[in-house]
Amino acid sequence: MTDLSATDFAVVVYREDESWETEVLPVALTEDLTGLIHALRQQPSIAGTIGLVSVGDDFFVAIRLLGDEEMVFLSDVTASVDWPLAQQVLDYLDIPVPDDEDLDQVLPVGDMSIFADLGLDEMELGAISGDLDLYPDEMLLSIAGRLGFAQPFERALDTLG
């Protein structure tokens, strides 16, 4: 079992009455992609439901459910060697776990255009996820700011203590 620290969190983001809302999900979902997708499906939203997960100081996962479509993004493919959630994302995306010689590069995988219709294009998402000076929670805050829900996102994180 991976050691869960205070930096591990999962939140659901959705639109309600023209404003963004966020809620913290159980920390156990930071290790369970299937459970995470199921939890996101429980929150209906016209604009789709977004799940944002930060794990350790290593990586984040973004999931967007829009109708029947499931879009999944992993900020660092190399995290799949050490973290169950990252490995589950690779399995979901049908991408092999990187070999040892491929572990020297931090590369995102998955749906790079996950937020393109909301104003965050593939290049920006790649730049944010590739910024090695930022921790995953800071990357997610940057994404939240670009998508227009930084304040509700910060409020949700403040409840974590």
Side-chain angles (χ1 to χ4, degrees):
M1 185 64 93
T2 306
D3 179 35
L4 294 176
S5 70
T7 58
D8 295 344
F9 65 83
V11 296
V12 58
V13 183
Y14 55 95
R15 297 217 21 119
E16 189 171 276
D17 297 329
E18 300 301 316
S19 65
W20 288 104
E21 302 289 335
T22 59
E23 293 178 20
V24 176
L25 295 170
V27 72
L29 294 176
T30 63
E31 293 190 349
D32 180 8
L33 181 63
T34 303
L36 186 59
I37 291 171
H38 178 75
L40 296 177
R41 287 233 177 267
Q42 304 308 305
Q43 183 59 61
S45 174
I46 295 170
T49 306
I50 298 170
L52 301 173
V53 181
S54 175
V55 178
D57 294 337
D58 290 343
F59 71 100
F60 73 86
V61 173
I63 300 168
R64 186 162 177 218
L65 305 180
L66 197 52
D68 291 335
E69 188 176 7
E70 295 177 354
M71 296 168 270
V72 180
F73 175 83
L74 172 64
S75 66
D76 178 9
V77 69
T78 64
S80 62
V81 173
D82 297 319
W83 298 97
L85 181 63
Q87 181 158 3
Q88 291 168 36
V89 169
L90 289 191
D91 291 345
Y92 177 87
L93 296 170
D94 199 25
I95 296 173
V97 173
D99 296 325
D100 287 343
E101 62 267 7
D102 296 326
L103 294 178
D104 57 350
Q105 266 191 309
V106 174
L107 295 172
V109 294
D111 193 334
M112 294 291 291
S113 62
I114 187 170
F115 301 125
D117 64 318
L118 298 175
L120 183 68
D121 68 26
E122 296 176 12
M123 294 290 287
E124 289 176 289
L125 182 57
I128 291 169
S129 62
D131 187 342
L132 300 179
D133 291 331
L134 296 178
Y135 289 106
D137 61 323
E138 296 168 323
M139 292 176 190
L140 290 174
L141 183 57
S142 179
I143 290 168
R146 288 286 292 123
L147 299 180
F149 56 84
Q151 287 183 334
F153 182 74
E154 285 183 284
R155 279 195 304 273
L157 296 188
D158 287 344
T159 67
L160 298 173

